[in-house]
Amino acid sequence: MALGWVDDQGVDDSSAVAVLDRPAPQAPPPKLTRPRRVARRLRLARADLIAATAYLSLAVLVLSGQWLDPHRGYLIKSGQDQTMWEWFFAVTAHNVAHLENPLGTLLQNYPDGVNMMANTAMFGVGVPLTPVTLLFGPTVTFVLVLTLGLFGTAFAWYWLFSREVVASRFAAAVGGLLCGFAPAMISHANAHPNFVVLALLPLIALQLIRMTRRAGLAKELRRARRNRDAVVLGLLVALQIALGEEPLLIFALSFGLFALVYYLHTPKTGLRALRAVTPTVLIAGLITLALTEIPLWWQFFGPQSYRSIDHGTMQNDLKALFQFPSESLGGMVAHGQNVAINPTEENSYFGWPLWIVVTVATVLMWRERVVRAAATVIVVFSVLSLGATLMIGKHDTGIALPWKRLENVALLDTVLESRFTMAAIPAIALILALATQRALDYWKVSATDWRPLALFAALIFALLPLTPTILPVVQRPATPQFFTDGTVRQYVSGGSVVIAPPPTPPDARALRWQVDSGFEFPLAGGYFVGPTGSDKKGRYGPDDRPTASLLMKAQRANTIPVVDDAARAQALADLRYWHADVVVLPPTDNGDTLRLTVDRLVGFPAKYVDGVWLWDVRDLVRS
């Protein structure tokens, strides 16, 4: 029979698929002749190459709008996140090129700075792609990371499915396709590389599965592989920490639940596997700690570190589980009510046809332990994603849910609960891959069997509406010439540039201007996560300085506020806090109101230089 459908050995429930505990071979398989070995490798490599090419082509297509205009193009649904990520990649490359500490920087939020490890700087790609960033700019790095993230995640899950779960490369490709291009992945591809570059997670799962399988080997054989397995696992986890800790946490919780349910009816087998892998996992943990000790210390105890961050209400609406995503064929036809947190957090949006197919497939294959484990992950993490109370159509029903008891647990309190449904993606993909394999097996028995055709029709019914569309891109305004032609250097003497008003998460354009200047100056304010208050609670953006708040209110209201002696004294104190050398007003909404307000605050009129209004405040601040 096909691999993956043979009966388990010694399994009480006669499950047909053994993923974690299929016994490892005690001896190598019989040797084939060289021509047969070459033919077999070419056949398998051809299938892998076809899958890889398809995934890469689809990833490029989804991001083609950004690829066609890599310098001026901007993924409009990213809000200000694309600007932030480009800044992360740019400052990482700048620090590496200048042999400076990449874990922290004073280039933003001057003079307090930014803890880069406490932000999602993704050193795992930012550092190795430094030459790309320096040669082609951070936007190219940004879109390259997103493209390779979609492709790599799909292909890594395909690799796991094809090597450990199903015999058919086509069945594995179906699972990989959903893992790499699920609605949540496409949504995050607008702005969040840390939730797109997830290729290491299936590799970690693959390593754990193979370690578990070797639990049945003799102790001498296990010990011979222990150090090698520990090094591989430790390196993979350390690299994932350098890419994103939140996805790693969600994966660890879901994989642990999967393993628990998988061994629920064979506890002796589970305990034997646990005892066998624990020493290796502990050694791997020590290796991971040794590799990440300094970055993790900097993240939790270094300058501008914080203990936790309150995201507010970030759960999935129940409707979000069943609607089609906005960037999909189904969403073009029937998007439904907009119940997402924002366009980059459509973390479920599986569509009702997929739920029907997955439910039917789960019922038909319920005897398989792997299916029961996957179904449990889907249900548990989908419920957790709904938050503390059930929301339906943006209406809070007041019905308490399990997350209410977990939302204040350490580490979990930093996770956006909406993202828990991302754990369901590989579980759903696993069920679809197994169903596809079963259909293909039926076809091998009888070419006229109607069940394979029904399954393929069901796959089209479920997946076609989720086919992603090209992510929308607009052109961003050009950077003011003041920053690009070197003029800014004439007005900076070791202090900062203060934009009127300073950059914040809602408007972080100044970060792009700083990058385009070649990091010639530090910025007051910015878009980052940093501490606030004595309890070091995390928040987005800088602490609110009174003068910054005054300027933002004036811009929103388009009204010049009353500027008295107290306001001028406060402005001087804030400028001294920022170590300001120059205040710059670039072209912006209600610019005349802002210019007249700053004139009154500093006591002298602005000067127009290279497309911006500016106030040289060096003499004022140092007097």
Side-chain angles (χ1 to χ4, degrees):
M1 295 181 71
L3 178 64
W5 295 95
V6 296
D7 286 344
D8 288 347
Q9 301 297 320
V11 177
D12 295 339
D13 63 355
S14 299
S15 172
V17 180
V19 176
L20 294 179
D21 58 353
R22 188 189 312 125
Q26 295 283 352
K31 290 186 177 181
L32 301 174
T33 63
R34 185 172 182 180
R36 289 187 176 182
R37 287 201 309 269
V38 172
R40 182 175 183 272
R41 289 175 182 174
L42 288 176
R43 184 176 67 254
L44 297 179
R46 181 176 61 185
D48 295 343
L49 181 61
I50 292 173
T53 302
Y55 294 150
L56 182 58
S57 300
L58 184 55
V60 171
L61 179 63
V62 167
L63 290 158
S64 58
Q66 185 69 78
W67 276 117
L68 291 173
D69 191 2
H71 298 293
R72 293 287 300 278
Y74 194 87
L75 291 163
I76 187 61
K77 289 192 174 184
S78 73
Q80 296 296 302
D81 285 354
Q82 179 172 342
T83 299
M84 179 189 69
W85 279 101
E86 290 176 355
W87 187 89
F88 284 156
F89 291 137
V91 79
T92 297
H94 174 83
N95 288 339
V96 170
H98 291 80
L99 301 180
E100 298 175 359
N101 177 19
L103 302 178
T105 181
L106 296 176
L107 287 169
Q108 191 181 165
N109 193 38
Y110 194 81
D112 298 320
V114 174
N115 187 321
M116 296 287 283
M117 266 303 295
N119 287 264
T120 49
M122 288 189 75
F123 295 122
V125 290
V127 172
L129 290 179
T130 289
V132 175
T133 306
L134 295 176
L135 288 173
F136 303 105
T139 306
V140 171
T141 301
F142 175 73
V143 67
L144 179 63
V145 169
L146 290 174
T147 303
L148 294 180
L150 292 174
F151 155 72
T153 301
F155 189 75
W157 281 108
Y158 159 82
W159 188 270
L160 185 151
F161 293 150
S162 64
R163 269 61 183 179
E164 299 296 333
V165 181
V166 293
S168 165
R169 293 295 196 263
F170 177 76
V174 171
L177 180 67
L178 182 65
C179 288
F181 299 92
M185 296 290 290
I186 300 302
S187 176
H188 284 291
N190 281 289
H192 302 150
N194 59 322
F195 271 92
V196 174
V197 182
L198 303 179
L200 291 184
L201 299 182
L203 298 184
I204 293 172
L206 181 61
Q207 182 66 12
L208 290 170
I209 290 169
R210 290 178 174 175
M211 286 165 50
T212 302
R213 182 169 306 124
R214 284 192 282 271
L217 297 178
K219 287 186 178 181
E220 294 75 13
L221 294 176
R222 291 205 309 268
R223 288 172 181 170
R225 293 294 302 263
R226 179 174 296 167
N227 290 340
R228 178 181 174 183
D229 287 341
V231 169
V232 172
L233 182 60
L235 285 173
L236 288 173
V237 175
L239 283 172
Q240 181 56 49
I241 289 174
L243 294 174
E245 297 167 29
E246 190 176 347
L248 178 61
L249 175 60
I250 295 172
F251 164 79
L253 294 172
S254 60
F255 190 83
L257 177 62
F258 179 92
L260 177 64
V261 177
Y262 184 85
Y263 285 119
L264 194 60
H265 297 297
T266 57
K268 291 182 179 180
T269 304
L271 289 174
R272 184 174 67 247
L274 181 62
R275 285 195 299 267
V277 303
T278 295
T280 308
V281 171
L282 291 177
I283 296 172
L286 292 175
I287 294 171
T288 299
L289 184 61
L291 293 173
T292 60
E293 178 181 8
I294 293 176
L296 289 178
W297 180 90
W298 195 280
Q299 175 180 347
F300 293 106
F301 304 103
Q304 292 298 103
S305 59
Y306 52 91
R307 296 292 173 262
S308 64
I309 182 169
D310 185 6
H311 294 288
T313 302
M314 292 289 180
Q315 80 263 40
N316 278 330
D317 192 292
L318 184 62
K319 281 189 174 182
L321 295 176
F322 302 97
Q323 293 184 168
F324 297 122
S326 57
E327 293 303 326
S328 69
L329 295 183
M332 293 174 61
V333 178
H335 178 52
Q337 182 182 2
N338 181 14
V339 293
I341 299 169
N342 59 56
T344 66
E345 295 288 349
E346 292 185 355
N347 293 308
S348 50
Y349 282 85
F350 295 110
W352 56 268
L354 180 60
W355 286 117
I356 293 176
V357 173
V358 170
T359 301
V360 172
T362 301
V363 171
L364 293 176
M365 298 189 297
W366 185 250
R367 292 184 62 195
E368 318 292 353
R369 289 189 298 153
V370 66
V371 172
R372 295 198 297 271
T376 302
V377 170
I378 294 169
V379 172
V380 169
F381 281 83
S382 295
V383 171
L384 288 177
S385 78
L386 297 175
T389 58
L390 182 64
M391 296 278 292
I392 303 178
K394 293 189 174 182
H395 170 68
D396 190 344
T397 65
I399 299 174
L401 297 173
W403 180 249
K404 195 174 187 67
R405 296 179 177 272
L406 300 173
E407 58 184 344
N408 294 318
V409 175
L411 293 182
L412 292 181
D413 59 357
T414 63
V415 178
L416 271 66
E417 54 268 36
S418 168
R419 293 173 177 172
F420 279 123
T421 39
M422 295 192 71
I425 294 171
I428 292 173
L430 177 61
I431 292 174
L432 292 183
L434 289 171
T436 304
Q437 177 68 70
R438 174 165 288 187
L440 293 173
D441 287 344
Y442 286 141
W443 227 336
K444 289 179 181 178
V445 175
S446 172
T448 60
D449 196 320
W450 61 271
R451 286 172 293 186
L453 292 177
L455 181 279
F456 298 139
L459 286 178
I460 295 173
F461 172 67
L463 298 182
L464 184 62
L466 302 182
T467 302
T469 54
I470 298 173
L471 299 182
V473 172
V474 297
Q475 279 207 336
R476 69 179 111 197
T479 299
Q481 191 176 357
F482 175 77
F483 297 107
T484 59
D485 64 6
T487 305
V488 65
R489 289 196 295 267
Q490 302 174 22
Y491 295 91
V492 178
S493 306
S496 72
V497 170
V498 177
I499 305 297
T504 58
D507 184 1
R509 292 173 299 163
L511 273 64
R512 174 73 182 192
W513 305 336
Q514 184 192 48
V515 171
D516 288 344
S517 77
F519 293 106
E520 292 287 352
F521 57 88
L523 271 170
Y527 184 9
F528 58 94
V529 181
T532 184
S534 58
D535 60 352
K536 302 194 76 174
K537 194 82 169 179
R539 63 165 287 171
Y540 291 95
D543 281 326
D544 298 324
R545 302 295 300 182
T547 302
S549 299
L550 180 70
L551 292 174
M552 286 186 282
K553 290 178 182 177
Q555 184 179 34
R556 284 196 299 267
N558 195 23
T559 301
I560 302 171
V562 175
V563 177
D564 53 17
D565 290 342
R568 283 188 283 270
Q570 183 62 61
L572 180 58
D574 289 339
L575 291 172
R576 285 174 174 166
Y577 175 83
W578 289 319
H579 300 268
D581 282 341
V582 63
V583 179
V584 177
L585 174 61
T588 188
D589 295 336
N590 302 326
D592 289 339
T593 298
L594 284 171
R595 177 171 56 83
L596 295 174
T597 300
V598 178
D599 282 348
R600 298 182 184 185
L601 287 172
V602 301
F604 58 88
K607 181 166 61 172
Y608 192 74
V609 178
D610 272 359
V612 302
W613 293 97
L614 63 83
W615 297 261
D616 188 338
V617 295
R618 285 174 286 190
D619 292 339
L620 178 66
V621 169
R622 295 166 189 170
S623 62

